[in-house]
């Protein structure tokens, strides 16, 4: 089969022929129909320091996908062969105290698809049966593929309480944009969104932001102060990992407010714990992955009911063969979610 | 009356004669029986940068006290004249959204006794009637005085859930030592305590710590790792404000753990939000003051039932006239709580 | 002034002339602009057993109102004279453990306007200053008046978590209808509503119910079973107090679901605690009054932002002089909220 | 092997020879070392209406056990053969929304050992591998066996917050007695316990109750009223299922209190929802089984740390051959937990 792989240290990927992977007793083999690109994949493509530290080539990349189950191991009772599934990319141990108590997203033995084991940028991928999440047959493939990433947004927006609250989303890339839609669907009174890219602020508006703020042109805390009668927002959803966004976000948070942090800062930076957390009496939540499987159930409800429409987040589609064009576009930042199709006849929209 | 005052910028205090303060319509006049020293008072004594920024001399210092109500304003219906009371040092507005919803500790208009208005190092002090907390007549005066400070410990130890959990307390000064006792009283399975002072680690042991760790001699995270079978503690109570303690504390926290931060770091420092909060899926609480009045009710229960014995925290007693000796002792760090008596005939133990 | 009073045991009211009430030092005198009728007022009108047990004539009735502050006691600093205010009808002690901890709605010394002290069906009413809730000048008077009652709906719908959930509201009278609107505004995925009156089910639909069920014609549990793929609803909001509604509501609740109970059953009835609560692992909340003052702040947000429109609930307006017509209409059940105007020139819609 | 079975409708059991059960691919075969008797087993022995409705003979009875793994299916990777294990008696589906979100105790497909599938009163029993909970080698067998039942107590006492609170336990049979010990270990300020049996009240005292109340001799609500200065208890743990205990328990609960209900009432009874739940603003939790696997982890911590000592609850030991004597003793009520040993050489105390 064809697979997009990182063959060794250094930038770039190679599209190569390798054998179809073998399926273990508790696993399923999925014929990939659509697979989407995440910022992490771009880091691996560019081979940044994080990638050099965490990824061991050779490996097939990619962790967001949808496809059809075509084979399964001896112990598997569901999903059925022929079932359309998306995949949870975190493979967990099921045995540790976290897995045993509904906190599998914190399993210390987590293996991530496309990072620690062969991933989804290929014609076929193998995942544990429990990681294969059944999708309804009428779900568009591009939407099905990005559920894994949507799950980050849902997790972030459901840990603090947003219903009836004023919410600031710092960082309006695809995950931030989806978090905006989730916050609105869950009853947020107002959602304010920041980004230094006007392209992304337009996306934020499309996804439901009541007010967008470009910190290159406006002072975030001042805008929030005016918009909230001097109180500040009830909830901060931090999706960017930029120190300046963290500063502006906490400065905009009201005393007693809640902050959920998803964006990775990648390195230590000077942080004012006194003003940002202690004097505020703030509650701060670190968010990683998706709650297994609470978040997937919540996603199902949000998508099936129509409460959240993910279509506007999907801006480009490519054949997997055109992966170079797809990753160049990702580098430009002038895009939302980018979907690749190993077999382009399954594309659910015009290819770029 | 005699009052210990900061008369202008610079170090030191002056014990001077000033008129007994007038009592407003919603206030009470308290004859001070005992008053205790807090780290904040030492900062004002030494006139550190924080003090220079926040305190406007001339002002009477001190915010921990107990005494007897000797006069009250026209609107006051309780406490009665003659009642022994302690004082909540945070004077709040009662009108803002925070005061209106049981979050008075976050009132943006908070005025602190001895910082923003005349305080307790005097023969008499005036506080709003609602800040005067009735004490039982048999409560030792030194214990009654330090309830305000004890409240910081109770607040910190009650926001996360410590019952049945393993708890790390970083910083074993008086507030940390009291937090140890609270955690044990509330059912903590094990309490580990750190400090760089062996004097304070002894105090920690006296107050119930199961294991003390001096980071000058042992690696905190390694000790915790072994003590918890590699899991980490469930709860971190950070009482020191030292960046090294924060680092060690978060390194010792288990995935999904809770951290309550009370100690002020006083300045920005390089902090690893990714490893400390996000990847851990940690929940972090900023703690300020005491919950009005939840914390005071909790204190009452802990003290009256005998679940917490504060006596070991009180190590020295002075006449207010000997304030210089008291503050020199505070500077040495070789003490727990230090109590001063405007009228030393009320001293409930031998004077130093 | 004119006041509608219960002069002694037995049915009916009398519209009589009495002196304008005197204002105490912590109170305000309000010139009533609009006052609305609650089921409790009807019970007092009809003098049912509950009323006979709880109300001591002679007393001015009514507890939902809006009006203008025209006088205030010596201690009052806000609201200002001339301010439009609504009123919290529960007068609490401010001193007990509940009042001291943001749980004033549970104050054991609660006195209710129009039940324990003279109420709002009059040209003037006196309330404690803290019970006078400032309204924006452009709020319609009929909406302003029914906030107290709206607060019951907000309280009920905010104790369980409705965001993203499927919610069943049993009883679609005015409070139930408002609860439907609140649940939708706070992100409920679907709201199902029951009532035996088709008039009220129409109101439920207007307020946002996705599906209405008349138990006289359909089996509630069967409808819910089908609508939720056999799972049951996540949340039950019980607004009727009817044993049959409680049975149907709990039968429709999913394992692990939450039930908030506001409707009073008025008497013991055979209840299956095993099936309804224990085997279900359900969490059940008793709801009384409004959280002081969390609920009022939540109401303000919901109304000002336009998230909830209360106008459809208001179906009839009367001059206070026509109170007999208003109460006869209430008895018929063919109405939503009924507003009375002591001075009908302030009516904000056509009078019936 | 020998197995104690219910062979058909009607009272009594038969000790018969049957084949050792076959182990499925995800199961383990356990050689039973100790097995304890629960009230449910007595119901099956006596063939009460509940048993007639839920149990389909022929079936091997018993669901509390400890033993050694002697065989395991092809898919099982842990526990190891030779491992001492106890068993969770609820066999759940792992697939439903409840199992997928840490709420396996609410799985609608639950099969209970000794009720729906062959149980533990035998030389061998088969359970799913995930139901076999590893025990430390030095745990007394009688303690290991009753963990399942202890889990009911831990679950009940950990859903409300008992730390620093006053707690009333209604019903001081073995589960109530263990709940008393758990509440004390988790920091309860005071625990009051009721029962109509003085034998059991003695057990309650042994397990840590601060005050016992026999409702045949004292008025429970009056005793609580006095003991709590008229406030009532913060938390009610209802372990009896007796309507009179529910009435007394709710009457003793303070406004805003929490009640956890474990005891089954077996039938509807007249319940005052207004006074017991609504006017109180109470929160009521239905408790079933053990949280999978949170409760087992909590048990491990409580037992290993020595915070709870279960030894006093174990009052009698029998050879399985003497089952008739054991069940007669259970009928008398003059016992705590009764343990039976299929091979009496493993008895960890004198046999009765």
């Amino acid at each position: 089969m064809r697979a997009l792989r990182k063959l060794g240290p250094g930038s770039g990927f190679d599209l190569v022929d390798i054998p179809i992977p073998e399926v273990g007793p508790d696993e399923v083999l999925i014929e990939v129909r659509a697979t989407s690109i995440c910022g992490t994949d771009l880091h691996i493509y560019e081979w940044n320091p994080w990638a050099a530290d965490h990824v061991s080539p050779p490996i097939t990349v990619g962790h967001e996908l949808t496809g059809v189950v075509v084979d399964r191991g001896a112990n598997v009772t569901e999903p059925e062969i022929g079932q359309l599934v998306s995949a949870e990319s975190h493979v967990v141990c099921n045995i540790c105290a976290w897995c045993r108590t509904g906190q599998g997203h914190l399993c210390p033995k987590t293996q991530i698809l496309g990072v620690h084991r062969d991933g989804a940028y290929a014609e076929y991928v193998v995942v544990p049966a429990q990681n294969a999440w059944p999708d309804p047959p009428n779900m568009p493939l591009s939407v099905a593929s990005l559920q894994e990433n949507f799950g980050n947004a849902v997790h972030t927006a459901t840990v603090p309480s947003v219903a009836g609250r004023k919410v600031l989303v710092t960082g309006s890339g695809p995950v931030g944009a989806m978090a905006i839609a989730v916050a609105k669907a869950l009853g947020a009174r107002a959602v304010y969104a920041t980004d230094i890219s006007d392209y992304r602020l337009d996306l934020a508006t499309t996804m439901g932001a009541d007010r967008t703020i470009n910190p290159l042109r406006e002072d975030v805390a001042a805008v929030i102060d005016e918009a909230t009668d001097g109180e500040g927002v009830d909830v901060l959803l931090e999706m960017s990992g930029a120190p300046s966004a963290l500063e502006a976000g906490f400065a905009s948070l009201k005393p007693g407010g809640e902050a959920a942090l998803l964006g990775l800062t990648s390195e230590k930076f000077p942080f004012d714990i006194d003003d940002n957390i202690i004097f505020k009496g703030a509650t701060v939540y670190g968010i990683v992955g998706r709650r297994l499987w609470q978040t997937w159930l919540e996603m199902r409800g949000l998508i099936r009911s129509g409460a959240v429409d993910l279509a506007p987040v999907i801006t480009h589609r490519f054949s997997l063969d055109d992966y170079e064009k797809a990753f160049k576009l990702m580098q430009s930042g002038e895009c939302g979610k980018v979907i690749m199709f190993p077999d382009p006849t399954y594309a659910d929209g015009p290819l770029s």
Side-chain angles (χ1 to χ4, degrees), chain A residues 5 62 86 104 116 133 213 268 277 301 329 338 351-352:
Chain A
R5 287 171 66 85
S86 294
H116 306 109
W133 186 258
I213 313 165
K268 292 185 181 190
I277 300 180
L329 175 65
V338 175
L351 295 173
S352 296

Side-chain angles (χ1 to χ4, degrees), chain A residues 209-221:
Chain A
D210 295 281
R211 171 77 154 88
T212 61
I213 313 165
N214 187 325
L216 301 180
R217 290 195 305 269
E218 293 188 286
D219 180 72
V220 174

Side-chain angles (χ1 to χ4, degrees), chain A residues 177 180-181 184 191 203-211:
Chain A
I180 291 164
K184 293 295 284 189
V191 176
L203 183 58
T205 300
T206 303
M207 296 302 281
D210 295 281
R211 171 77 154 88

Side-chain angles (χ1 to χ4, degrees), chain A residues 28 32 38 47 67-68 88 93 98 112 114 131 202 206 224 226 228-229 249 284 310 334 348 350:
Chain A
V28 295
V32 179
C38 168
W47 204 243
V68 170
E88 164 57 47
C93 79
W98 293 270
I112 302 179
N131 284 53
D202 285 347
T206 303
I224 295 299
E226 188 183 341
T228 62
D229 300 324
V284 182
L310 296 178
E334 296 286 301
D348 58 351

